[in-house]
Amino acid sequence: MAVVAGLRIEPVDGDRMLDQWRHVHNVIVPPAAMGIDEVRERSGRYRLENAYLGDVLVGCSTVRPPEGEEGVATVIARVLPEYRGRGFGAALYEKGLGYAHVLGARVIETCVLAVNEDGLRFAEVRGFVEVDRYVLEGETDLWVDLRLAPFAP
C-alpha cells in the first residue's frame, strides 16, 4: 500500500466525520452534492473513509461492496484539489481496493465526473478503462464509468 508520511485514513464514525466526508464529496462532485441525512444513509450501505494529513482533512473514499454474478465493487477515492499530487489518492485507492478484495470483489469499477480531468487521469494510470459515459435523467453533467481488469480473489 502507498505510504505517505503523516497520512491517516479512518472509517467514518459519527456526525463530525460524516460531515467531513460530505464536504470532500460535495467539493469534488458538486452535481451530486448530498445533505448529511443522505450521507448517513450511504454510510449504512458503503464503507466511507476520511483521509487526514495530521489533523487536516485532505480526502475521502467510498467502497461499494461487490454485487451481481461478476462480483463488481466500486472504489472511489477523492482528494481535495489543493492536496492532489502527493500520493493521498493512491493511498485511499489502494486501501479501498484491499477492502473490496476482502469482501470478495472480482471486478473493480469507479465513477468520475467527466470534467474532473485529474480523476480520469488517476483512474487511467491505474489501469481503468472507460466502459460508459452518461448523463443522469434531468441533469446536464457527464459521468464516466471505468472498469479495472478482473483480478483473482
Side-chain angles (χ1 to χ4, degrees), residues 93-118:
Y93 166 71
E94 289 175 16
K95 187 167 185 204
L97 185 64
Y99 184 72
H101 184 71
V102 166
L103 294 176
R106 294 186 307 279
V107 178
I108 302 294
E109 291 185 342
T110 196
C111 180
V112 181
L113 189 59
V115 298
N116 182 353
E117 293 176 8
D118 289 342

PDB file of all heavy atoms in Angstrom, residues 93-118:
ATOM      1  N   TYR A  93      -7.066   4.939  -2.598  1.00  0.00           N
ATOM      2  CA  TYR A  93      -7.471   3.943  -3.590  1.00  0.00           C
ATOM      3  C   TYR A  93      -6.972   2.548  -3.201  1.00  0.00           C
ATOM      4  O   TYR A  93      -7.728   1.577  -3.213  1.00  0.00           O
ATOM      5  CB  TYR A  93      -6.942   4.335  -4.969  1.00  0.00           C
ATOM      6  CG  TYR A  93      -7.016   3.209  -5.971  1.00  0.00           C
ATOM      7  CD1 TYR A  93      -8.244   2.781  -6.465  1.00  0.00           C
ATOM      8  CD2 TYR A  93      -5.866   2.553  -6.390  1.00  0.00           C
ATOM      9  CE1 TYR A  93      -8.318   1.722  -7.357  1.00  0.00           C
ATOM     10  CE2 TYR A  93      -5.937   1.507  -7.288  1.00  0.00           C
ATOM     11  CZ  TYR A  93      -7.164   1.092  -7.766  1.00  0.00           C
ATOM     12  OH  TYR A  93      -7.235   0.046  -8.645  1.00  0.00           O
ATOM     13  N   GLU A  94      -5.702   2.430  -2.847  1.00  0.00           N
ATOM     14  CA  GLU A  94      -5.145   1.124  -2.508  1.00  0.00           C
ATOM     15  C   GLU A  94      -5.816   0.521  -1.277  1.00  0.00           C
ATOM     16  O   GLU A  94      -6.073  -0.681  -1.229  1.00  0.00           O
ATOM     17  CB  GLU A  94      -3.635   1.225  -2.329  1.00  0.00           C
ATOM     18  CG  GLU A  94      -2.929   1.455  -3.656  1.00  0.00           C
ATOM     19  CD  GLU A  94      -1.436   1.671  -3.515  1.00  0.00           C
ATOM     20  OE1 GLU A  94      -0.868   1.353  -2.444  1.00  0.00           O
ATOM     21  OE2 GLU A  94      -0.835   2.159  -4.492  1.00  0.00           O
ATOM     22  N   LYS A  95      -6.123   1.365  -0.299  1.00  0.00           N
ATOM     23  CA  LYS A  95      -6.809   0.854   0.884  1.00  0.00           C
ATOM     24  C   LYS A  95      -8.217   0.385   0.507  1.00  0.00           C
ATOM     25  O   LYS A  95      -8.664  -0.679   0.942  1.00  0.00           O
ATOM     26  CB  LYS A  95      -6.865   1.901   1.981  1.00  0.00           C
ATOM     27  CG  LYS A  95      -7.417   1.343   3.273  1.00  0.00           C
ATOM     28  CD  LYS A  95      -7.213   2.243   4.452  1.00  0.00           C
ATOM     29  CE  LYS A  95      -7.704   1.522   5.700  1.00  0.00           C
ATOM     30  NZ  LYS A  95      -8.078   2.431   6.745  1.00  0.00           N
ATOM     31  N   GLY A  96      -8.920   1.173  -0.297  1.00  0.00           N
ATOM     32  CA  GLY A  96     -10.256   0.784  -0.742  1.00  0.00           C
ATOM     33  C   GLY A  96     -10.237  -0.479  -1.580  1.00  0.00           C
ATOM     34  O   GLY A  96     -11.099  -1.343  -1.442  1.00  0.00           O
ATOM     35  N   LEU A  97      -9.241  -0.598  -2.451  1.00  0.00           N
ATOM     36  CA  LEU A  97      -9.092  -1.788  -3.290  1.00  0.00           C
ATOM     37  C   LEU A  97      -8.875  -3.025  -2.418  1.00  0.00           C
ATOM     38  O   LEU A  97      -9.483  -4.078  -2.645  1.00  0.00           O
ATOM     39  CB  LEU A  97      -7.926  -1.600  -4.255  1.00  0.00           C
ATOM     40  CG  LEU A  97      -7.701  -2.692  -5.287  1.00  0.00           C
ATOM     41  CD1 LEU A  97      -8.876  -2.788  -6.239  1.00  0.00           C
ATOM     42  CD2 LEU A  97      -6.413  -2.401  -6.060  1.00  0.00           C
ATOM     43  N   GLY A  98      -8.032  -2.901  -1.414  1.00  0.00           N
ATOM     44  CA  GLY A  98      -7.797  -4.014  -0.486  1.00  0.00           C
ATOM     45  C   GLY A  98      -9.060  -4.420   0.240  1.00  0.00           C
ATOM     46  O   GLY A  98      -9.349  -5.617   0.397  1.00  0.00           O
ATOM     47  N   TYR A  99      -9.846  -3.440   0.660  1.00  0.00           N
ATOM     48  CA  TYR A  99     -11.105  -3.727   1.357  1.00  0.00           C
ATOM     49  C   TYR A  99     -12.083  -4.432   0.417  1.00  0.00           C
ATOM     50  O   TYR A  99     -12.724  -5.413   0.794  1.00  0.00           O
ATOM     51  CB  TYR A  99     -11.697  -2.440   1.923  1.00  0.00           C
ATOM     52  CG  TYR A  99     -12.933  -2.675   2.740  1.00  0.00           C
ATOM     53  CD1 TYR A  99     -12.865  -3.269   3.999  1.00  0.00           C
ATOM     54  CD2 TYR A  99     -14.187  -2.319   2.259  1.00  0.00           C
ATOM     55  CE1 TYR A  99     -14.002  -3.494   4.753  1.00  0.00           C
ATOM     56  CE2 TYR A  99     -15.332  -2.546   3.007  1.00  0.00           C
ATOM     57  CZ  TYR A  99     -15.239  -3.133   4.243  1.00  0.00           C
ATOM     58  OH  TYR A  99     -16.367  -3.364   4.987  1.00  0.00           O
ATOM     59  N   ALA A 100     -12.190  -3.955  -0.826  1.00  0.00           N
ATOM     60  CA  ALA A 100     -13.074  -4.585  -1.810  1.00  0.00           C
ATOM     61  C   ALA A 100     -12.650  -6.035  -2.053  1.00  0.00           C
ATOM     62  O   ALA A 100     -13.492  -6.930  -2.172  1.00  0.00           O
ATOM     63  CB  ALA A 100     -13.068  -3.792  -3.120  1.00  0.00           C
ATOM     64  N   HIS A 101     -11.352  -6.256  -2.106  1.00  0.00           N
ATOM     65  CA  HIS A 101     -10.816  -7.611  -2.306  1.00  0.00           C
ATOM     66  C   HIS A 101     -11.221  -8.529  -1.149  1.00  0.00           C
ATOM     67  O   HIS A 101     -11.653  -9.665  -1.368  1.00  0.00           O
ATOM     68  CB  HIS A 101      -9.296  -7.536  -2.450  1.00  0.00           C
ATOM     69  CG  HIS A 101      -8.649  -8.839  -2.758  1.00  0.00           C
ATOM     70  ND1 HIS A 101      -8.759  -9.467  -3.965  1.00  0.00           N
ATOM     71  CD2 HIS A 101      -7.879  -9.643  -1.975  1.00  0.00           C
ATOM     72  CE1 HIS A 101      -8.081 -10.603  -3.931  1.00  0.00           C
ATOM     73  NE2 HIS A 101      -7.548 -10.728  -2.735  1.00  0.00           N
ATOM     74  N   VAL A 102     -11.117  -8.036   0.085  1.00  0.00           N
ATOM     75  CA  VAL A 102     -11.510  -8.816   1.263  1.00  0.00           C
ATOM     76  C   VAL A 102     -12.999  -9.171   1.200  1.00  0.00           C
ATOM     77  O   VAL A 102     -13.403 -10.245   1.630  1.00  0.00           O
ATOM     78  CB  VAL A 102     -11.183  -8.035   2.563  1.00  0.00           C
ATOM     79  CG1 VAL A 102     -11.865  -8.636   3.773  1.00  0.00           C
ATOM     80  CG2 VAL A 102      -9.686  -7.975   2.777  1.00  0.00           C
ATOM     81  N   LEU A 103     -13.812  -8.276   0.631  1.00  0.00           N
ATOM     82  CA  LEU A 103     -15.250  -8.529   0.513  1.00  0.00           C
ATOM     83  C   LEU A 103     -15.586  -9.517  -0.601  1.00  0.00           C
ATOM     84  O   LEU A 103     -16.742  -9.882  -0.774  1.00  0.00           O
ATOM     85  CB  LEU A 103     -15.998  -7.216   0.260  1.00  0.00           C
ATOM     86  CG  LEU A 103     -15.975  -6.194   1.395  1.00  0.00           C
ATOM     87  CD1 LEU A 103     -16.678  -4.915   0.956  1.00  0.00           C
ATOM     88  CD2 LEU A 103     -16.612  -6.764   2.654  1.00  0.00           C
ATOM     89  N   GLY A 104     -14.573  -9.912  -1.388  1.00  0.00           N
ATOM     90  CA  GLY A 104     -14.787 -10.895  -2.439  1.00  0.00           C
ATOM     91  C   GLY A 104     -14.956 -10.310  -3.835  1.00  0.00           C
ATOM     92  O   GLY A 104     -15.363 -11.025  -4.758  1.00  0.00           O
ATOM     93  N   ALA A 105     -14.646  -9.051  -4.018  1.00  0.00           N
ATOM     94  CA  ALA A 105     -14.775  -8.436  -5.338  1.00  0.00           C
ATOM     95  C   ALA A 105     -13.861  -9.133  -6.341  1.00  0.00           C
ATOM     96  O   ALA A 105     -12.724  -9.460  -6.039  1.00  0.00           O
ATOM     97  CB  ALA A 105     -14.421  -6.954  -5.264  1.00  0.00           C
ATOM     98  N   ARG A 106     -14.401  -9.346  -7.530  1.00  0.00           N
ATOM     99  CA  ARG A 106     -13.613  -9.898  -8.632  1.00  0.00           C
ATOM    100  C   ARG A 106     -13.389  -8.852  -9.720  1.00  0.00           C
ATOM    101  O   ARG A 106     -12.507  -9.007 -10.554  1.00  0.00           O
ATOM    102  CB  ARG A 106     -14.299 -11.138  -9.200  1.00  0.00           C
ATOM    103  CG  ARG A 106     -14.342 -12.287  -8.196  1.00  0.00           C
ATOM    104  CD  ARG A 106     -14.886 -13.572  -8.793  1.00  0.00           C
ATOM    105  NE  ARG A 106     -16.181 -13.445  -9.445  1.00  0.00           N
ATOM    106  CZ  ARG A 106     -17.363 -13.445  -8.815  1.00  0.00           C
ATOM    107  NH1 ARG A 106     -17.412 -13.553  -7.498  1.00  0.00           N
ATOM    108  NH2 ARG A 106     -18.484 -13.352  -9.493  1.00  0.00           N
ATOM    109  N   VAL A 107     -14.223  -7.831  -9.722  1.00  0.00           N
ATOM    110  CA  VAL A 107     -14.111  -6.738 -10.687  1.00  0.00           C
ATOM    111  C   VAL A 107     -14.253  -5.426  -9.912  1.00  0.00           C
ATOM    112  O   VAL A 107     -15.082  -5.333  -9.007  1.00  0.00           O
ATOM    113  CB  VAL A 107     -15.212  -6.838 -11.768  1.00  0.00           C
ATOM    114  CG1 VAL A 107     -15.130  -5.668 -12.748  1.00  0.00           C
ATOM    115  CG2 VAL A 107     -15.132  -8.164 -12.507  1.00  0.00           C
ATOM    116  N   ILE A 108     -13.435  -4.447 -10.290  1.00  0.00           N
ATOM    117  CA  ILE A 108     -13.481  -3.133  -9.645  1.00  0.00           C
ATOM    118  C   ILE A 108     -13.896  -2.089 -10.664  1.00  0.00           C
ATOM    119  O   ILE A 108     -13.360  -2.048 -11.775  1.00  0.00           O
ATOM    120  CB  ILE A 108     -12.109  -2.746  -9.052  1.00  0.00           C
ATOM    121  CG1 ILE A 108     -11.649  -3.789  -8.031  1.00  0.00           C
ATOM    122  CG2 ILE A 108     -12.140  -1.344  -8.445  1.00  0.00           C
ATOM    123  CD1 ILE A 108     -12.502  -3.879  -6.780  1.00  0.00           C
ATOM    124  N   GLU A 109     -14.831  -1.256 -10.260  1.00  0.00           N
ATOM    125  CA  GLU A 109     -15.231  -0.118 -11.076  1.00  0.00           C
ATOM    126  C   GLU A 109     -15.045   1.165 -10.284  1.00  0.00           C
ATOM    127  O   GLU A 109     -14.891   1.133  -9.064  1.00  0.00           O
ATOM    128  CB  GLU A 109     -16.695  -0.242 -11.515  1.00  0.00           C
ATOM    129  CG  GLU A 109     -16.921  -1.358 -12.491  1.00  0.00           C
ATOM    130  CD  GLU A 109     -18.341  -1.414 -13.038  1.00  0.00           C
ATOM    131  OE1 GLU A 109     -19.265  -0.827 -12.433  1.00  0.00           O
ATOM    132  OE2 GLU A 109     -18.507  -2.068 -14.079  1.00  0.00           O
ATOM    133  N   THR A 110     -15.052   2.271 -11.009  1.00  0.00           N
ATOM    134  CA  THR A 110     -15.062   3.580 -10.388  1.00  0.00           C
ATOM    135  C   THR A 110     -15.897   4.490 -11.256  1.00  0.00           C
ATOM    136  O   THR A 110     -16.244   4.153 -12.389  1.00  0.00           O
ATOM    137  CB  THR A 110     -13.628   4.126 -10.161  1.00  0.00           C
ATOM    138  OG1 THR A 110     -13.688   5.212  -9.224  1.00  0.00           O
ATOM    139  CG2 THR A 110     -12.964   4.559 -11.453  1.00  0.00           C
ATOM    140  N   CYS A 111     -16.250   5.634 -10.721  1.00  0.00           N
ATOM    141  CA  CYS A 111     -17.084   6.600 -11.428  1.00  0.00           C
ATOM    142  C   CYS A 111     -16.462   7.974 -11.233  1.00  0.00           C
ATOM    143  O   CYS A 111     -16.077   8.334 -10.121  1.00  0.00           O
ATOM    144  CB  CYS A 111     -18.490   6.558 -10.840  1.00  0.00           C
ATOM    145  SG  CYS A 111     -19.618   7.703 -11.621  1.00  0.00           S
ATOM    146  N   VAL A 112     -16.340   8.740 -12.331  1.00  0.00           N
ATOM    147  CA  VAL A 112     -15.689  10.045 -12.284  1.00  0.00           C
ATOM    148  C   VAL A 112     -16.541  11.054 -13.049  1.00  0.00           C
ATOM    149  O   VAL A 112     -17.025  10.745 -14.144  1.00  0.00           O
ATOM    150  CB  VAL A 112     -14.270   9.980 -12.906  1.00  0.00           C
ATOM    151  CG1 VAL A 112     -13.581  11.330 -12.846  1.00  0.00           C
ATOM    152  CG2 VAL A 112     -13.421   8.912 -12.219  1.00  0.00           C
ATOM    153  N   LEU A 113     -16.700  12.218 -12.490  1.00  0.00           N
ATOM    154  CA  LEU A 113     -17.339  13.317 -13.203  1.00  0.00           C
ATOM    155  C   LEU A 113     -16.423  13.684 -14.369  1.00  0.00           C
ATOM    156  O   LEU A 113     -15.228  13.909 -14.175  1.00  0.00           O
ATOM    157  CB  LEU A 113     -17.534  14.495 -12.249  1.00  0.00           C
ATOM    158  CG  LEU A 113     -18.355  15.677 -12.709  1.00  0.00           C
ATOM    159  CD1 LEU A 113     -19.775  15.260 -13.085  1.00  0.00           C
ATOM    160  CD2 LEU A 113     -18.399  16.730 -11.601  1.00  0.00           C
ATOM    161  N   ALA A 114     -16.946  13.717 -15.590  1.00  0.00           N
ATOM    162  CA  ALA A 114     -16.114  13.869 -16.786  1.00  0.00           C
ATOM    163  C   ALA A 114     -15.243  15.119 -16.775  1.00  0.00           C
ATOM    164  O   ALA A 114     -14.135  15.100 -17.313  1.00  0.00           O
ATOM    165  CB  ALA A 114     -16.980  13.837 -18.045  1.00  0.00           C
ATOM    166  N   VAL A 115     -15.694  16.193 -16.150  1.00  0.00           N
ATOM    167  CA  VAL A 115     -14.879  17.416 -16.122  1.00  0.00           C
ATOM    168  C   VAL A 115     -13.693  17.302 -15.165  1.00  0.00           C
ATOM    169  O   VAL A 115     -12.792  18.133 -15.190  1.00  0.00           O
ATOM    170  CB  VAL A 115     -15.709  18.674 -15.773  1.00  0.00           C
ATOM    171  CG1 VAL A 115     -16.776  18.933 -16.817  1.00  0.00           C
ATOM    172  CG2 VAL A 115     -16.310  18.570 -14.377  1.00  0.00           C
ATOM    173  N   ASN A 116     -13.669  16.261 -14.352  1.00  0.00           N
ATOM    174  CA  ASN A 116     -12.565  16.048 -13.408  1.00  0.00           C
ATOM    175  C   ASN A 116     -11.420  15.333 -14.136  1.00  0.00           C
ATOM    176  O   ASN A 116     -11.249  14.120 -14.021  1.00  0.00           O
ATOM    177  CB  ASN A 116     -13.048  15.254 -12.198  1.00  0.00           C
ATOM    178  CG  ASN A 116     -11.973  15.029 -11.162  1.00  0.00           C
ATOM    179  OD1 ASN A 116     -10.801  15.345 -11.365  1.00  0.00           O
ATOM    180  ND2 ASN A 116     -12.364  14.452 -10.044  1.00  0.00           N
ATOM    181  N   GLU A 117     -10.648  16.096 -14.877  1.00  0.00           N
ATOM    182  CA  GLU A 117      -9.550  15.516 -15.663  1.00  0.00           C
ATOM    183  C   GLU A 117      -8.517  14.834 -14.776  1.00  0.00           C
ATOM    184  O   GLU A 117      -7.965  13.802 -15.159  1.00  0.00           O
ATOM    185  CB  GLU A 117      -8.909  16.590 -16.533  1.00  0.00           C
ATOM    186  CG  GLU A 117      -9.841  17.098 -17.615  1.00  0.00           C
ATOM    187  CD  GLU A 117      -9.255  18.240 -18.423  1.00  0.00           C
ATOM    188  OE1 GLU A 117      -8.051  18.564 -18.246  1.00  0.00           O
ATOM    189  OE2 GLU A 117      -9.996  18.810 -19.240  1.00  0.00           O
ATOM    190  N   ASP A 118      -8.256  15.393 -13.591  1.00  0.00           N
ATOM    191  CA  ASP A 118      -7.319  14.752 -12.664  1.00  0.00           C
ATOM    192  C   ASP A 118      -7.822  13.364 -12.276  1.00  0.00           C
ATOM    193  O   ASP A 118      -7.052  12.401 -12.222  1.00  0.00           O
ATOM    194  CB  ASP A 118      -7.135  15.588 -11.392  1.00  0.00           C
ATOM    195  CG  ASP A 118      -6.356  16.867 -11.609  1.00  0.00           C
ATOM    196  OD1 ASP A 118      -5.653  16.981 -12.638  1.00  0.00           O
ATOM    197  OD2 ASP A 118      -6.457  17.766 -10.744  1.00  0.00           O
TER     198      ASP A 118
END
